[in-house]
């Protein structure tokens, strides 16, 4: 499948540090780590599964840092955590059974919407606002995002952050901290399901986990220090970068659809 050369170890190590740093602040680290795993010869399902393992280490590292600073209220999100676990498990099981190509049409549209919201919408500050949903009602939204994460994954952190700001009224740094808890739950459940199916390449996951741990710690420190000044523009940049990365693939069905309309 691949030769574990020093060059591959260096590539995956550097990619995972950068991915962990970005993921801790704004989500979207998979934009870097997933292509890196695909580049060494993994099939898409194995790459998604392995990416969840190494990504969960960076997420856990960032979450630990946020929790130690008192930024995470697990009691508040206990119901969202529960439904994220259910959704992620169902999504991870579904990805082994069905074609995911239709998501390649929907995902760029959603990511552009997120970027436009944070770029042009009401300024997301660090102060909490009025919540539009109770934590129990929000749990069903979180469960849907969890299903998507188990099923596919890219952009999950941005989806959680946006929903926590818009629906639970969290300030941006607080939303980023709670995103890590929800994302970690989703990743862990997805890992269990995909590991049972034998889809994880553990040696690559282990190499990248070290870099993710380092990047996650650095990113969470930066997020708490700079707050919305850093998080808001990164959410915009990462969302647009993921959109560009998805549409750069000539086989992307949305790109083919747009090309057909224009030409």
């Amino acid at each position: 499948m691949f030769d574990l050369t020093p060059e591959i170890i260096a590539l995956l190590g550097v990619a995972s540090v950068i991915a962990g740093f970005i993921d801790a602040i704004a989500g979207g680290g998979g934009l870097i780590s997933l292509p890196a795993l695909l580049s060494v010869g993994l099939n898409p399902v194995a790459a998604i599964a392995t990416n969840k393992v190494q990504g969960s280490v960076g997420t856990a590292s960032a979450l630990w840092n946020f929790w130690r600073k008192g930024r995470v209220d697990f009691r508040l999100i206990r119901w969202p955590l529960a439904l994220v676990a259910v959704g992620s498990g169902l999504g991870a099981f579904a990805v082994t059974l069905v074609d995911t190509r239709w998501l390649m049409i929907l995902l760029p549209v959603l990511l552009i919407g997120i970027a436009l919201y944070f770029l042009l919408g009401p300024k997301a500050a660090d102060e909490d606002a009025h919540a539009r949903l109770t934590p129990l009602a929000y749990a069903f939204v979180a469960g849907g995002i969890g299903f998507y994460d188990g099923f596919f994954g890219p952009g999950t952190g941005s989806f959680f952050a946006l929903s926590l700001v818009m629906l639970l009224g969290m300030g941006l740094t607080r939303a980023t901290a709670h995103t890590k808890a929800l994302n970690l739950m989703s990743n862990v459940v997805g890992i269990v399901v995909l590991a049972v199916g034998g889809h994880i390449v553990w040696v690559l996951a282990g190499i990248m986990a070290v870099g993710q741990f380092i990047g996650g710690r650095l990113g969470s420190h930066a997020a708490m220090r700079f707050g919305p000044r850093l998080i808001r523009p990164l959410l915009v940049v990462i969302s647009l970068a993921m959109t560009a990365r998805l549409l750069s693939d000539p086989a992307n069905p949305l790109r083919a659809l747009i090309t057909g309309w224009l030409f």
Side-chain angles (χ1 to χ4, degrees):
M1 181 176 58
F2 58 86
D3 295 319
L4 193 58
T5 63
E7 291 78 12
I8 287 178
I9 293 174
L11 166 69
L12 296 181
V14 171
S16 61
V17 171
I18 298 172
F21 181 85
I22 292 173
D23 224 29
I25 299 171
L31 174 69
I32 296 167
S33 58
L34 194 55
L37 286 164
L38 289 168
S39 72
V40 302
L42 269 67
N43 66 67
V45 175
I48 289 171
T50 305
N51 188 57
K52 286 187 182 299
V53 176
Q54 62 90 31
S56 68
V57 174
T59 302
S61 172
L63 175 61
W64 172 255
N65 219 23
F66 281 122
W67 178 75
R68 286 178 62 241
K69 301 294 185 180
R71 301 298 183 99
V72 182
D73 183 355
F74 285 105
R75 183 175 178 82
L76 176 68
I77 59 169
R78 62 187 185 279
W79 285 113
L81 283 170
L83 267 69
V84 162
V86 174
S88 178
L90 293 174
F93 179 71
V95 76
T96 65
L97 303 175
V98 301
D99 185 3
T100 62
R101 283 181 57 80
W102 64 272
L103 281 171
M104 304 302 286
I105 296 176
L106 180 61
L107 182 58
V109 177
L110 293 174
L111 289 169
I112 290 173
I114 288 174
L116 290 175
Y117 175 83
F118 282 109
L119 186 63
L120 305 174
K123 186 175 180 180
D126 252 1
E127 294 77 22
D128 290 347
H130 176 69
R132 293 180 171 88
L133 296 179
T134 65
L136 180 58
Y138 172 74
F140 292 94
V141 176
I145 299 173
F147 179 89
Y148 165 77
D149 190 32
F151 190 73
F152 192 51
T156 298
S158 298
F159 298 149
F160 275 132
L162 177 63
S163 64
L164 287 167
V165 170
M166 291 185 64
L167 302 178
L168 284 191
M170 289 188 179
L172 197 49
T173 303
R174 188 168 174 238
T176 300
H178 286 81
T179 288
K180 302 311 157 196
L182 296 169
N183 218 345
L184 181 60
M185 174 63 80
S186 178
N187 277 341
V188 169
V189 173
I191 287 166
V192 171
V193 174
L194 292 168
V196 170
H199 297 292
I200 297 172
V201 182
W202 291 103
V203 63
L204 297 187
I207 291 170
M208 299 185 76
V210 176
Q212 275 278 351
F213 179 83
I214 296 170
R217 290 296 295 272
L218 293 174
S220 59
H221 276 299
M224 287 185 286
R225 179 176 180 181
F226 298 106
R229 287 180 297 156
L230 178 64
I231 298 170
R232 183 186 176 100
L234 262 184
L235 279 167
V236 173
V237 171
I238 291 301
S239 296
L240 293 177
M242 280 192 286
T243 301
R245 175 68 180 83
L246 290 166
L247 294 180
S248 69
D249 182 2
N252 185 284
L254 181 58
R255 172 174 171 168
L257 189 62
I258 294 173
T259 302
W261 284 343
L262 296 177
F263 305 102

